[in-house]
Amino acid sequence: ENADNASYKTYYREHYLDVPVNVKYSYDILPGKIKAHAYAGPVFSFGLASTSLEKVKDDTGKGWSRYNNYNGNYKWKDADGRGSEKGEGTDYSMFDLKLGLGIGATVLDMFDVKIGYKAQTYRSVYDKDGNLTQGTISNSSVYNPIGFIDEQKRANNASNAYNNWLQGYINFEPIKGLTIRHEQQISFSNSYSGTTSSIHSYQGKLKGVSSATYKDTNGFGWRMTTTANYTNEFAGIHRVNATLGIEQSLSKSQGISLYAEDLTSESIGWKNLMLSAMSKIEEQTMSQSTALSFFGRINYSLLDRYMFTVTFRRDGSSLLAYDHRWDNFPSASVAWNLKEENFLKNADFISQLKLR
């Protein structure tokens, strides 16, 4: 890649010694001339060196750095000269057991031709110290998949959510046909989650340290609705239904997310983030919103044939921009119930027909 007038090239090199131990089967195809062979058996691989070499070229000249994954030796050369230091090796395995297969042929007892294949065998999930085995000689960046299960077992992660609602209403009829209803609703919520990533986990392998995260969120909600509904019939041909209402609501929430690295105790983990080399508030949120609505509707029906409806709402929300928090939503409709007309009332093949 090129950045800041510099170019970088990285080379990964693996050097190892293979010692095959084979069982051999031979068969004479042409006696005295051609003999076929089949091989199978384990291959013992001994790691000699696993290095990462990075070459850099920039305005100051050329430089390079080499790191040995086995013993931690680190060497470099830049514009100021050359240096080296001793560090700790990684968990790269220096020994692997593979499976080898092959076929071959001997011609005139003078020439041998062999074709072989070797495959990485399964490795033990845990080493002798009880830690997860990570990496191989041929592909040392592979993460042990059992680590995902092991991480959950070690971490004792947890998450819970609690939601509570309290709702009540009252209805009363001050005069015939008029019903007033008042409703209140309150809600409380709390949720939390705790996650610990041990040094053996995937995150631990990437960062080189154990870590933990704790998140907590609390919420409160309130809603009030009051409606008045009036229904009446006049002279047997007029029917009126009218509704007026108001609704208010409030919603609050606050949350916090804490993060810690290099835990003193992985078994305690997220339950006490102060037991760590570093802890911080990763995120903190707080929100509040309110809404207010006025609404009304009038339905009028004449002879159950001709119907008219008018609806109106005015809504306001604190979530919108200050100059655009309120808006009106009117609507109207007209309907004609043709089935009640004399020319269709006795038509049995039609059960309902209405134009709206």
Side-chain angles (χ1 to χ4, degrees):
E1 59 176 317
N2 294 314
D4 300 328
N5 297 322
S7 62
Y8 304 86
K9 290 184 178 180
T10 303
Y11 305 88
Y12 299 97
R13 296 174 179 173
E14 300 284 347
H15 303 274
Y16 49 90
L17 174 66
D18 278 351
V19 179
V21 179
N22 293 327
V23 175
K24 177 181 176 182
Y25 174 78
S26 300
Y27 177 76
D28 286 326
I29 299 178
L30 295 175
K33 294 182 178 181
I34 301 177
K35 182 179 292 186
H37 311 288
Y39 306 88
V43 179
F44 300 92
S45 293
F46 300 91
L48 301 177
S50 174
T51 60
S52 302
L53 174 65
E54 182 179 76
K55 293 184 178 180
V56 183
K57 182 179 180 180
D58 55 24
D59 295 336
T60 63
K62 297 181 180 180
W64 55 265
S65 62
R66 180 186 290 114
Y67 179 75
N68 191 320
N69 297 298
Y70 287 140
N71 54 30
N73 285 336
Y74 181 64
K75 295 182 179 181
W76 72 91
K77 180 182 179 181
D78 53 22
D80 298 328
R82 179 171 177 166
S84 64
E85 60 184 81
K86 176 72 174 178
E88 293 185 1
T90 66
D91 55 2
Y92 285 27
S93 173
M94 298 184 68
F95 170 76
D96 279 315
L97 178 63
K98 303 178 182 179
L99 175 64
L101 299 172
I103 58 175
T106 301
V107 181
L108 300 176
D109 290 330
M110 296 176 60
F111 306 100
D112 282 334
V113 180
K114 296 180 179 180
I115 300 175
Y117 172 79
K118 59 183 178 181
Q120 180 73 42
T121 59
Y122 293 104
R123 304 180 60 205
S124 174
V125 175
Y126 300 95
D127 60 21
K128 61 181 181 180
D129 298 322
N131 298 319
L132 287 170
T133 53
Q134 303 288 4
T136 66
I137 292 177
S138 58
N139 189 0
S140 52
S141 63
V142 173
Y143 175 70
N144 189 333
I146 300 300
F148 290 109
I149 302 175
D150 184 81
E151 181 176 356
Q152 298 297 319
K153 181 178 67 175
R154 292 173 181 263
N156 192 26
N157 298 337
S159 62
N160 280 289
Y162 304 94
N163 296 284
N164 301 278
W165 290 270
L166 178 63
Q167 181 174 335
Y169 67 90
I170 182 172
N171 282 340
F172 64 99
E173 189 175 353
I175 60 175
K176 183 179 180 180
L178 177 62
T179 302
I180 298 177
R181 177 187 174 100
H182 181 75
E183 180 181 325
Q184 293 269 0
Q185 177 179 299
I186 299 176
S187 64
F188 303 90
S189 64
N190 171 258
S191 64
Y192 74 87
S193 63
T195 304
T196 302
S197 298
S198 71
I199 191 66
H200 304 284
S201 68
Y202 181 68
Q203 292 297 324
K205 180 174 174 62
L206 292 178
K207 299 178 181 179
V209 294
S210 56
S211 61
T213 302
Y214 175 76
K215 298 180 180 181
D216 188 280
T217 304
N218 294 282
F220 170 79
W222 168 78
R223 181 177 64 85
M224 181 197 73
T225 306
T226 301
T227 57
N229 182 267
Y230 179 73
T231 302
N232 206 346
E233 288 192 13
F234 307 93
I237 60 173
H238 305 281
R239 185 170 67 250
V240 176
N241 178 273
T243 300
L244 290 176
I246 179 174
E247 182 173 273
Q248 294 176 275
S249 64
L250 168 68
S251 178
K252 290 183 176 182
S253 69
Q254 58 184 16
I256 190 170
S257 177
L258 307 176
Y259 176 78
E261 279 188 357
D262 198 3
L263 307 176
T264 304
S265 171
E266 293 183 359
S267 60
I268 296 177
W270 62 269
K271 298 174 184 176
N272 190 343
L273 298 184
M274 299 305 294
L275 297 178
S276 62
M278 185 279 292
S279 61
K280 64 177 181 179
I281 297 177
E282 197 169 41
E283 184 182 40
Q284 189 168 12
T285 60
M286 182 175 294
S287 65
Q288 175 175 308
S289 63
T290 57
L292 177 61
S293 299
F294 303 93
F295 52 90
R297 182 184 64 193
I298 298 177
N299 293 322
Y300 170 72
S301 174
L302 174 63
L303 298 172
D304 285 332
R305 302 177 193 173
Y306 316 107
M307 289 152 277
F308 308 88
T309 302
V310 177
T311 302
F312 180 82
R313 288 187 65 94
R314 179 168 174 79
D315 295 327
S317 172
S318 64
L319 295 174
L320 302 177
Y322 184 80
D323 295 332
H324 302 279
R325 289 184 173 179
W326 287 94
D327 212 340
N328 302 317
F329 303 92
S331 68
S333 69
V334 177
W336 179 19
N337 188 0
L338 282 80
K339 177 61 177 175
E340 293 300 316
E341 297 290 350
N342 292 330
F343 58 85
L344 284 179
K345 182 175 292 186
N346 297 322
D348 297 333
F349 61 93
I350 297 178
S351 60
Q352 179 71 30
L353 180 60
K354 180 188 290 186
L355 298 179
R356 189 181 185 196

